[in-house]
Amino acid sequence: MFDLEGKTCLITGGAGSLGLAAARLLHSHGARLALVDLDLAALDTACAEAFGAAAGEVLCLAADVSDEAQVRRAVARTVERYGALDVLISNAGIFGTVAPIQDYPTEIFDSVMAVHVRGAFLLAKHGVPHMREGGSIVLTSSVAATRGDPGVYAYITAKHALTGLMRVLAKDLAPRGIRVNAIAPGPISNGFQQRVEDGLGAEIGRDGTEFFNEMIPMGRHGSPEEIAASILYLASAQSGFTTGHLLMADGGMSV
């Protein structure tokens, strides 16, 4: 059903739990992979653990997604190895911090926007010219793209901005049959979310994970594998008439 045989998929944020879960699932359906992350050593280790003997089939590349030259080079290396691109998954992200507007560090705001928004823009800018018709771009957004929570200035602003970028790209690339969508996970059981919840728990004086679970109608966090399944749908021809869509995978948190 989800045939990606011979399709080339480039995933940023490849060493994280969601990037790896998506990579494993796409690879199991025949995709050829290029994984990009800031720390090549960490990426190589994660790739070896995730793919075992098949790790050599995966192209691992180091790049800061906010640096145009590095993104251009990562795309060029991928095209050099595989010939063309079919799927781009912009998954790199950082959270920033939580603080009142008067105290929010400008440099943190800038860095979060650079990774999420500039990173997705640069991946599309340099990746799209090498994409075959009928390809797919998936931006990792968040339930934060539908919310406004006190003090979460950088992360929430960045995720809202990704929705706008996704919609512009969808209109621009539709004539080439390239679909552009975003996945909006709710809280996921992973290290990224745990760090957010530890910080929140310290601020509110209670367990941050329990606090989030109470906000989710399904009463639990999602798993990286559950989110990866939605990414697979958007990456494959099964979503052939779906573009410009923000797919909620949040256990009902945005309802």
Side-chain angles (χ1 to χ4, degrees):
M1 181 182 292
F2 297 105
D3 184 13
L4 292 172
E5 192 67 40
K7 304 291 187 183
T8 300
C9 304
L10 190 160
I11 304 174
T12 65
S17 64
L18 181 52
L20 279 176
R24 285 195 299 266
L25 187 56
L26 270 60
H27 184 264
S28 73
H29 288 275
R32 304 181 299 181
L33 297 175
L35 303 185
V36 178
D37 212 283
L38 191 60
D39 184 339
L40 183 58
L43 178 58
D44 283 338
T45 299
C47 188
E49 292 175 354
F51 293 96
E57 300 173 10
V58 180
L59 177 62
C60 292
L61 301 167
D64 176 349
V65 297
S66 67
D67 184 300
E68 185 161 15
Q70 293 185 41
V71 173
R72 185 190 300 113
R73 185 161 55 247
V75 169
R77 289 276 306 280
T78 304
V79 173
E80 179 182 348
R81 175 157 171 171
Y82 296 123
L85 297 169
D86 298 284
V87 179
L88 298 176
I89 300 175
S90 179
N91 178 64
I94 56 176
F95 180 72
T97 191
V98 179
I101 186 63
Q102 66 271 18
D103 300 324
Y104 203 96
T106 302
E107 64 276 12
I108 290 180
F109 184 90
D110 288 345
S111 66
V112 173
M113 293 294 289
V115 171
H116 288 272
V117 186
R118 179 180 169 89
F121 166 79
L122 290 175
L123 182 63
K125 177 179 179 179
H126 294 288
V128 163
H130 301 283
M131 290 186 75
R132 286 186 270 250
E133 291 197 4
S136 172
I137 298 175
V138 183
L139 310 183
T140 298
S141 184
S142 166
V143 67
T146 68
R147 300 176 58 85
D149 295 305
V152 194
Y153 285 100
Y155 190 76
I156 286 180
T157 301
K159 293 306 189 182
H160 277 73
L162 281 179
T163 302
L165 177 62
M166 175 265 291
R167 289 172 174 162
V168 175
L169 284 168
K171 285 284 186 72
D172 197 18
L173 301 179
R176 289 181 54 191
I178 296 174
R179 295 165 290 107
V180 187
N181 297 285
I183 181 78
I188 304 172
S189 295
N190 63 8
F192 181 96
Q193 182 67 23
Q194 191 61 56
R195 289 188 293 273
V196 172
E197 291 169 3
D198 288 346
L200 174 65
E203 294 234 354
I204 65 177
R206 58 170 299 195
D207 186 275
T209 301
E210 290 182 1
F211 176 80
F212 272 104
N213 281 338
E214 291 172 4
M215 298 171 64
I216 304 168
M218 292 186 72
R220 65 173 179 85
H221 286 39
S223 70
E225 290 73 22
E226 287 176 309
I227 309 306
S230 294
I231 292 175
L232 172 63
Y233 166 71
L234 293 177
S236 76
Q238 293 299 309
S239 59
F241 200 53
T242 301
T243 195
H245 180 64
L246 180 64
L247 175 59
M248 307 306 301
D250 63 352
M253 190 174 175
S254 60
V255 174

